[in-house]
Amino acid sequence: MKYRILSLLAILMGATVLLSVSSLIVGSKNTEIENELEDEFEYRSFKVAPSELELENTVFHKIKGSDYYEEIKDELRNLYSQRNNQSIWFYSDSPKPIFYEALRQINSGDTHGLSPHYYGVDELKNVDSLFQRGISKEHVIEMEIEMTANYLLYNFHIQNGRLPEKLMSGYWHKDKKNKGFLRDLVKIKTPEQLKAQLENTFPTHHKYAELLEHLNKYREIEASGGWSTINIGDTKVIEPGEMHEAIPQIRERLSVTDPFFNTPKPTDSFEMSYDLSDFDLDAKYYDEILQASVKQFQQRHGLAPDGRLGKETIAALNIPVADKVSQIELNLERMRWLPSEYGANYAEVNIPDYSLKVYRDNEKSLEMKVIVGAEFTSTPIFSDTLKYLVFSPTWTVPFSIKSKEMLPKLQEDPAYYTRLNYKFYRGWSTETEIDPSKVDWSEYSSSNFPFNVVQQPGGSNSLGRVKFIMPNDLSIYLHDTPSGHLFNRYDRAFSHGCIRVEKPELLAEYLLRDQTEWTSEEINKAMFSNTPKKVYLEKDYHVQITYLTAFVDENGLMNFRKDIYGHDKSQADKLKHLYAIQ
């Protein structure tokens, strides 16, 4: 019996070994077949080892001296090296399937405000006929390198935008990204893989997708003829309830973008039609229905929504639709300059909108007005992280303000700033306090002001009762202000660069809501103390300062804002010059 069991075990073990060996043989055979298929698929490929001269000739005229030039050239060289110099887009006798997918992707760039013509698609339209007529290997290699340079450039532009940072003003700081499309492109062989790679490259923020949708809608309006110019003659303003010859034209103009009825507000104004057939109204009468439409238009354009048809509102109505399309395209470009991720909790300041919006779990939780830098002391555009708050802060006056703005006042009245709770120190520290009334200020000038000036905590402090610090080299932060009446203005560019917030105590409560010791009472006590109090946040908040003059609001409506710093014109002119189709 013992031997029978041993014999049976031996037979089973042998069978297992045979099965294992058989599996190895079959697995090996399958691998060989896969390799053979791989070889069969690639056997018509060819080697591409671009020389430095070929790289220069192919890449230079596409990049035109921008800061992408060296990167594109290096990426292109490394890409072929990692592929063992194997061609990406072409066989020796025909294009590969992914070539057509790449062309399709680049051609669709127009929907993102990127001109496909700039990325070489026109030169490659007739590639099939070239192969049919017969084409030299040298020409195929030239097309291969050209296509790779174009595709890499297209990827760079989708991720980082087209305008190099060195051509921006010093007030604009661009986030530079690389999602690793080189790594992906090394191993891509199918059109499906290529499509997935590019879709992963586009900005993922929902605001970008919403703006794309409205770009298409405004292009449709443009294609259908746009709208005519409205002329109200010598009339200064048309009030609700008045009659005017221009009312029918104004009603027709607003029917395109801002129809509004006594029924619930439309969820998508583009899909509504303006039909007054059920209303017994004089066509020239400025009725309540039209007034609601005008107010929505004014709200969307950052104008006082008073329903009065004055020069400013008429001018906004008369902006050509082509200009709106260009403005949307420019702001899509700006969105590509922003970081890929903000995180779930972040704060966003949009300078032309004069607004601060705070998001929790990607849902807007708080919104308030802000005051931003004046045109010549403009607020810079950058990303940062909110780290801590200072209640009852002091304010160390910047050199430019104390030497240019304070000095003339000191020369007139040396005790003026003492009454406003400022302290003066000799030198740049706070060690040696001096009495400004005993200084002969006529001896000093805007370039010679060797004093440190610090405003003490209190109601008149220029930073108000609290400041919100995101440490940066630009010395920009959020803060309270004693000049709260300025928030009643619709144009709020008054500061020296920092951002004044409308409801500082509410923002402080929100940011400290998870730090239970900081109740509303404790926050109020700290804000009205005579001693500064620094409080670090347990959670960091990404802060994004943006400059969006075209954006989609939370109601899905397209908004436009004034170009308060002139960035629209400057950047549009640079892009037009840099990427003009030759």
Side-chain angles (χ1 to χ4, degrees), residues 323-336:
D323 291 358
K324 301 259 187 189
V325 168
S326 297
Q327 190 174 356
I328 294 172
E329 290 177 344
L330 177 61
N331 282 271
L332 284 168
E333 165 76 5
R334 285 177 181 153
M335 286 188 174
R336 292 188 280 267

Side-chain angles (χ1 to χ4, degrees), residues 24-66:
L24 287 171
I25 293 170
V26 171
S28 177
K29 187 66 175 178
N30 286 341
T31 303
E32 289 177 9
I33 291 171
E34 289 173 3
N35 289 338
E36 286 175 6
L37 289 173
E38 184 85 324
D39 293 341
E40 177 68 20
F41 183 74
E42 296 292 347
Y43 82 100
R44 290 178 295 155
S45 297
F46 53 89
K47 298 289 186 179
V48 180
S51 67
E52 193 66 24
L53 180 61
E54 286 174 319
L55 288 172
E56 291 285 343
N57 292 339
T58 303
V59 179
F60 180 75
H61 78 281
K62 299 304 298 183
I63 314 303
K64 298 186 178 178
S66 82

Side-chain angles (χ1 to χ4, degrees), residues 211-230:
L211 198 55
L212 284 180
E213 182 181 348
H214 282 266
L215 172 62
N216 183 53
K217 290 175 179 178
Y218 272 84
R219 281 178 171 169
E220 289 175 359
I221 295 172
E222 183 180 21
S224 65
W227 46 72
S228 58
T229 301
I230 298 166

